[in-house]
Amino acid sequence: MRTYIFIPPVKRAAGGVTVLRQVAGVLAQAGHDVELVLREPASWRPQGLRREVAERDWKDVQLQSGDLWVVPEGWVNALAPGLEAGARCVSYVQNWAYLFSGLPENVTWTQLPVELWAVSHPVAQFIEQTTGREAPILRPGIDRELFATPAAKPEGPLRIAYMPRKNKAQARQIQDIFRSRNPDAQVRWTPVEGLDAQGVARALAQAHIFLMTGFPEGCPLPPLEAMASGCLCVGFSGYGGWDYMRPAQPLPRFTPWWPLRDVDWGGNGLWCADLDVLDAALLLEQAVEWITGNAPEYEATLKNARLTADAYDLAAQERAVLELWKKRMATNA
């Protein structure tokens, strides 16, 4: 079974494309016949990939029956070569919000001979509830050598890292509310933007708190990287973050109404409802109080955060990829 993975055009760092390339690298290293199909020449490549993978241009792809054609969600038109060739077609749903965005009018997933894969448990639930299909789950992985907890965090003002590209307006509202309520708070806001992977790792290693403002999300990587870097995480889940997020506050003002899977860790952050900027600001206050007061809840949350990050390392991703492909090859025989 040959595997072809479609890479959409991207002009800047994108977590979804990194995951696709990671998957291809795992397959290549294990001896699978795999190629990346680029819609446009790559203007950006992820750093730190364990293995480079053969590439070919979109116009040169010639799929055959029995090939596996993997396309990220939202790029439904890219499924066409696989459908025409009678290949096994997969839409890998890395963000639930784009599951239906590329479908032509009056076309549904139930009409297409396409398998749906999910990046997380919440995304799999979303797929099942909206299409009636069960989706295997293929989670991303983070580099635990790159994203690691430092021996100590910097002295002085507490540093709150956030990513402006993730709903910049909500991040600004949370900051404004926090400043209004805490005019004398000794904090330093640290925007994480325009950095390569090494730069992001350095910024998170220096931060005490990570403010998550992403929405929507399939299985957000920045909070996982922040957990691995010893940050106390606060904020939104993007829905998909509930694959691993569990509230550390004793009485959370929001809890998911949908069932959560069992995990091997407890509360790993101070999480609120998506877009609830007031609760996010209040939780930031609580995070600052925990850290400055050296509260026992602080160390307990960091411990659970490290357990969470460990469960999403590259080795776990590799095992999941090889197991999924093993099952697909068995059904292809």
Side-chain angles (χ1 to χ4, degrees), residues 4 6 37 58 63 67-71 78-79 81-82 88-90:
Y4 294 95
F6 174 72
V37 178
W58 164 263
L63 296 167
D67 291 342
L68 186 63
W69 178 230
V70 181
V71 175
L79 291 166
R88 298 184 62 179
C89 296
V90 171

Side-chain angles (χ1 to χ4, degrees), residues 90-102:
V90 171
S91 178
Y92 183 22
V93 185
Q94 296 186 72
N95 196 323
W96 57 272
Y98 306 131
L99 175 61
F100 298 99
S101 64

Side-chain angles (χ1 to χ4, degrees), residues 96-273:
W96 57 272
Y98 306 131
L99 175 61
F100 298 99
S101 64
L103 285 174
E105 189 174 359
N106 298 322
V107 173
T108 67
W109 282 112
T110 56
Q111 298 171 312
L112 297 175
V114 176
E115 188 174 353
L116 300 175
W117 293 357
V119 75
S120 67
H121 183 248
V123 172
Q125 288 182 318
F126 183 85
I127 291 172
E128 183 176 9
Q129 291 294 324
T130 57
T131 71
R133 296 191 185 187
E134 292 187 6
I137 299 172
L138 185 59
R139 294 181 172 87
I142 60 171
D143 188 341
R144 291 294 278 111
E145 293 184 4
L146 178 60
F147 295 97
T149 303
K153 294 288 185 175
E155 298 290 338
L158 295 185
R159 303 186 185 193
I160 304 175
Y162 68 101
M163 294 186 170
R165 68 183 178 87
K166 297 284 188 176
N167 294 323
K168 187 175 183 179
Q170 276 74 45
R172 180 59 184 271
Q173 281 186 308
I174 295 167
Q175 291 179 43
D176 289 343
I177 295 169
F178 181 87
R179 291 192 189 100
S180 178
R181 289 175 52 87
N182 305 273
D184 299 323
Q186 298 298 305
V187 300
R188 178 187 301 175
W189 300 93
T190 305
V192 180
E193 57 183 340
L195 302 174
D196 59 14
Q198 285 75 16
V200 173
R202 287 192 296 269
L204 292 177
Q206 295 293 303
H208 301 83
I209 296 171
F210 178 74
L211 173 62
M212 169 64 173
T213 57
F215 177 85
E217 299 280 352
C219 188
L221 290 173
L224 284 171
E225 294 166 347
M227 289 180 186
S229 304
C231 297
L232 178 55
C233 290
V234 176
F236 307 159
S237 72
Y239 177 66
W242 288 108
D243 192 68
Y244 60 84
M245 294 176 180
R246 299 296 182 269
Q249 59 269 45
L251 296 173
R253 284 175 284 271
F254 170 79
T255 53
W257 53 266
W258 55 92
L260 302 181
R261 68 187 182 106
D262 292 332
V263 292
D264 295 328
W265 52 87
N268 53 18
L270 299 172
W271 309 113
C272 63

